[in-house]
Every structure is written in structure tokens, then in C-alpha cells.
């Protein structure tokens, strides 16, 4: 059985390579002995389907084929723009609204590409709380949001995607998170949040799969919102994961960033064109995950990846609306007038990468 899985995995890698057209103009693989371009990438936690495109490109040699040697690191913190600005990494993965929040405060950051267009921080609560509110995952969004009243909900902290989603849903149900519920910031990633849930410190949480799936399979939680398979209609095409850089890196490492965007583009092409190959790779990548849990998590996440890494203006407008409402709820100044798509993004690297495919 292991031999069959390995053959499937290797066939998936080969098909991705053929789809990507390694050796395409301007991005041939580095020759033996040739020094590759180098860059570093940072994310909030080590493993998540949210980082699937980057990890797939790294694990199957797509970055190498694009001529890039990429190093990866994680912080176990929800928001990491300070690390990016401080030069701890060349590229930061995270929610676009986090980047826009610091950009409007005149911090020199730009987003260069994206790959998840679902707000993939899921909402789980105790089954007893859902039963008391009379809701299931199939209930209307506003009814499900109302079930958050009076609950302690764990997030990764203010400004992070999970915190933003919790506040959005509470606004939907006219719940004041300062008085009608409690948002509990928890650092340390999925393990820390699951530990808090198991101890009873929180009644539910907002975080991506597979942490949300573990809570359901092992700790008796239920989905209130699975944001990939059953999001509120207005969040059906919500850009959630982007790669951002400092303006300094954009000026100093254009070739590296173009190679990075090409690796992401090839990964997205592979995920879309050969989902079985991506699944075989993911099974190896999440090798310590229970097989039944993996099947659930994969099914819950495969639908969140974009076809290309180039964000749209429509996605920007929705991010902007989302962030503006959150800032005003926090009694902070809203988005400055005239803040444009071009202020938030530098897509020259992604566009050059796409043109080379």
C-alpha cells in the first residue's frame, strides 16, 4: 500500500512539473553547481492547509525549478508584520487586511500575490452551546452568528484573521464583543487553542483546519461556520492568504520575488490540474495526522485555492470593506479616502511570473 501511495505521490509531482513547464523562458532550473536565488518566508504556524501552495511548491521542487532556494520559518503568533518590517524575513504569509492595516499607517509593505480565496478560519463551538441556541451548521448565517452571544471564543489575537472573523460575525448578530461575549487571545497556535478548549477556558474558537477538525473529532465540538464549504454568501470569494514584502525587499530582490511567484503559480496550477497528486503530497506532508482526520481535513480545504496567484480588484474592495467596518467598531479611524488597489499591491512580480509560464 505504501508503494502505491509513493507512486501516486511521484506521479503527482511529475504531472505538476509538466503542467508548470520547467525551463520556460526566463525561469530555467538552476544548473548543477549554480548558486540559486535565495529568499526567506515567514508564517504564523508551521503546518496548515492555508500555506498549502507554498509548502507544495517547496516540497515538490517547484521553487527549485524556478531557480529559488526558499527557507521557511514560523512564529506561533497571529500577526507578524513587525517581523517583516524589521527584516526577519523577505516574505510574510498572512491575511491581506493585516497588511492593509499597517500600510494605511504608512508602513512600507506591499502584497505581491495570493492563493486562498476563502476566509478559511473556521468557527467551532461546543455542541451543547449550539443545541442551546437551536442551530446547526446548516442554519442561516445570522442565526448561527447569534449563537456566539455569551460565549468565550478563542482567537489568535487582535488584528489576526480569526479575531476579524469573530468580530464580523458578532456585528452580523448585533453582539458587542466587549460586553455580550468574550474574545480570548491565545498564542501558540492550534495546540494551545485546543488545550484551552479542552480545559474549558474557552467555549469555542476561530482557527483554520485541521485544528477545527481535531476539535470536532476528539473534543466534541461542532462546526458553526465551515468557511470553505459553507461560508456566508458575501464571503464566497474573500481573499484570505497573501504573500507580502517590504518595499525594501521589493527593490532589492525583484528576481527572487518573481521566482517565488512563479513557484506559487505552478503550485496552484498543480493543485487545480491534479488534485489527486496534491492529495498524495499532502498525506505525506501531514504524515502525523490520523488518516480519517486527514480525509476530513483535505475534503474541507481543497476548495479554497485560487487558480492563479493574481488577486483581483473585487477581492481588494471586499477586504477594504471588511477592514473599514472592523476599524470603526474598534473606535479607530477608518480607511483613508483614496486608498487604492495600487497602494496595497505590487503585482509586477506575479505578472512577470505568469507571463513566463
Amino acid at each position: 500500500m505504501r508503494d502505491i501511495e509513493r507512486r501516486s505521490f511521484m506521479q503527482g509531482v511529475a504531472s505538476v512539473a509538466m503542467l508548470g513547464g520547467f525551463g520556460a523562458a526566463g525561469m530555467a532550473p538552476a544548473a548543477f553547481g549554480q548558486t540559486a536565488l535565495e529568499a526567506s518566508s515567514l508564517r504564523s504556524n508551521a503546518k496548515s492547509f492555508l500555506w498549502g501552495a507554498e509548502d507544495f511548491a517547496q516540497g515538490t521542487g517547484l521553487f527549485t525549478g524556478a531557480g529559488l532556494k526558499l527557507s521557511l520559518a514560523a512564529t506561533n503568533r497571529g500577526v507578524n508584520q513587525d517581523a517583516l518590517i524589521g527584516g526577519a524575513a523577505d516574505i510574510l504569509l498572512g491575511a491581506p487586511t493585516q497588511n492593509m492595516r499597517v500600510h494605511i499607517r504608512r508602513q512600507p509593505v506591499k502584497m505581491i500575490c495570493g492563493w486562498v480565496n476563502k476566509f478559511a478560519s473556521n468557527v467551532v463551538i461546543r455542541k451543547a452551546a449550539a443545541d442551546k441556541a437551536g442551530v446547526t451548521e446548516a442554519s442561516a448565517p445570522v442565526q448561527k452568528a447569534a449563537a456566539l452571544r455569551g460565549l468565550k471564543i478563542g482567537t489568535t489575537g487582535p488584528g489576526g484573521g480569526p479575531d476579524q472573523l469573530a468580530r464580523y460575525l458578532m456585528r452580523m448578530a448585533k453582539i458587542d464583543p466587549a460586553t455580550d461575549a468574550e474574545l480570548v487571545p491565545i498564542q501558540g497556535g492550534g495546540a494551545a487553542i485546543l488545550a484551552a478548549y479542552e480545559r474549558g477556558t474557552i467555549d469555542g474558537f476561530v482557527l483554520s483546519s485541521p485544528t477545527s477538525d481535531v476539535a470536532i473529532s476528539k473534543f466534541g465540538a461542532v462546526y458553526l461556520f465551515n468557511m470553505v464549504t459553507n461560508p456566508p454568501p458575501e464571503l464566497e470569494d474573500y481573499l484570505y492568504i497573501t504573500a507580502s514584502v517590504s518595499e525594501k525587499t521589493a527593490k532589492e530582490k525583484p528576481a527572487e520575488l518573481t521566482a517565488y511567484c512563479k513557484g506559487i503559480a505552478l503550485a496552484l496550477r498543480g493543485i487545480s490540474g491534479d488534485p489527486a497528486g496534491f492529495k498524495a503530497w499532502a498525506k505525506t506532508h501531514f504524515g502525523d495526522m490520523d488518516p480519517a482526520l486527514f480525509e476530513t481535513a483535505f475534503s474541507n480545504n481543497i476548495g479554497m485555492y485560487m487558480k492563479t496567484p493574481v488577486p483581483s480588484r473585487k477581492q481588494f474592495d471586499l477586504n477594504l470593506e471588511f477592514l473599514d467596518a472592523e476599524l470603526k467598531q474598534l473606535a479607530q479611524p477608518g480607511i483613508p479616502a483614496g486608498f487604492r488597489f495600487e497602494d496595497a499591491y505590487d503585482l509586477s512580480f506575479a505578472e512577470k511570473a505568469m507571463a513566463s509560464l
Side-chain angles (χ1 to χ4, degrees):
M1 184 67 178
R2 296 289 297 178
D3 289 342
I4 293 172
E5 288 181 357
R6 177 166 176 77
R7 283 199 297 272
S8 175
F9 168 64
M10 294 308 294
Q11 288 167 358
V13 172
S15 67
V16 171
M18 288 186 288
L19 281 166
F22 286 170
M27 283 291 177
F32 181 77
Q34 179 180 339
T35 302
L37 300 168
E38 295 188 13
S40 58
S41 175
L42 191 66
R43 75 273 292 270
S44 58
N45 62 324
K47 283 190 179 182
S48 170
F49 280 98
L50 293 177
W51 326 131
E54 185 181 81
D55 285 340
F56 189 45
Q58 180 84 329
T60 59
L62 295 174
F63 285 132
T64 301
L68 180 67
K69 180 180 179 181
L70 184 71
S71 60
L72 310 179
T75 66
N76 284 324
R77 295 189 305 157
V79 180
N80 296 286
Q81 267 65 23
D82 56 342
L84 179 69
I85 295 168
D90 297 314
I91 300 163
L92 175 66
L93 312 188
T97 49
Q98 294 172 5
N99 234 56
M100 291 159 65
R101 181 193 295 272
V102 301
H103 187 100
I104 61 177
R105 294 172 181 162
R106 302 186 183 280
Q107 296 297 325
V109 294
K110 293 278 190 180
M111 288 175 280
I112 61 170
C113 68
W115 60 80
V116 169
N117 72 330
K118 293 291 187 291
F119 203 126
S121 284
N122 302 310
V123 185
V124 300
I125 63 173
R126 298 188 186 281
K127 186 177 186 301
D131 290 345
K132 181 179 179 181
V135 298
T136 69
E137 190 185 345
S139 300
V142 69
Q143 293 175 323
K144 292 191 292 184
L148 296 172
R149 186 178 297 276
L151 301 186
K152 295 180 179 180
I153 301 298
T155 76
T156 56
D163 186 83
Q164 290 176 331
L165 180 60
R167 292 178 185 278
Y168 172 83
L169 295 173
M170 289 179 183
R171 286 198 302 274
M172 179 189 295
K174 295 181 172 54
I175 295 171
D176 185 341
T179 58
D180 303 327
E182 184 177 351
L183 296 178
V184 182
I186 300 172
Q187 300 296 329
I193 282 184
L194 286 172
Y197 180 81
E198 186 179 15
R199 289 194 304 266
T201 305
I202 54 177
D203 304 306
F205 62 84
V206 187
L207 204 65
S208 62
S209 173
T211 304
S212 54
D213 300 311
V214 173
I216 291 168
S217 66
K218 293 188 176 181
F219 301 117
V222 295
Y223 267 119
L224 197 60
F225 288 90
N226 184 321
M227 294 296 291
V228 176
T229 62
N230 187 28
E234 66 274 18
L235 299 182
E236 184 67 37
D237 182 25
Y238 183 92
L239 184 63
Y240 188 52
I241 295 298
T242 59
S244 57
V245 302
S246 68
E247 292 181 2
K248 182 175 183 289
T249 298
K251 291 177 182 177
E252 295 179 352
K253 294 191 173 184
E256 288 87 344
L257 299 184
T258 300
Y260 179 84
C261 290
K262 180 164 186 177
I264 296 297
L266 294 174
L268 292 175
R269 184 178 290 190
I271 292 169
S272 175
D274 184 14
F278 176 64
K279 183 177 183 180
W281 168 84
K283 188 176 292 186
T284 301
H285 182 65
F286 294 100
D288 56 349
M289 191 183 298
D290 175 80
L293 177 61
F294 172 81
E295 292 295 331
T296 299
F298 186 85
S299 177
N300 280 339
N301 287 281
I302 188 61
M304 70 181 177
Y305 299 107
M306 294 159 59
K307 296 293 191 295
T308 80
V310 183
S312 70
R313 292 177 182 271
K314 182 179 179 182
Q315 290 171 333
F316 168 77
D317 290 341
L318 184 54
N319 285 152
L320 202 66
E321 178 184 335
F322 200 92
L323 178 59
D324 190 61
E326 183 202 4
L327 292 173
K328 290 175 179 176
Q329 183 185 33
L330 294 171
Q332 297 177 9
I335 302 295
F339 184 67
R340 304 169 302 154
F341 181 84
E342 291 78 12
D343 296 322
Y345 287 93
D346 181 350
L347 296 184
S348 61
F349 311 109
E351 289 166 351
K352 184 176 181 182
M354 294 298 294
S356 75
L357 296 181

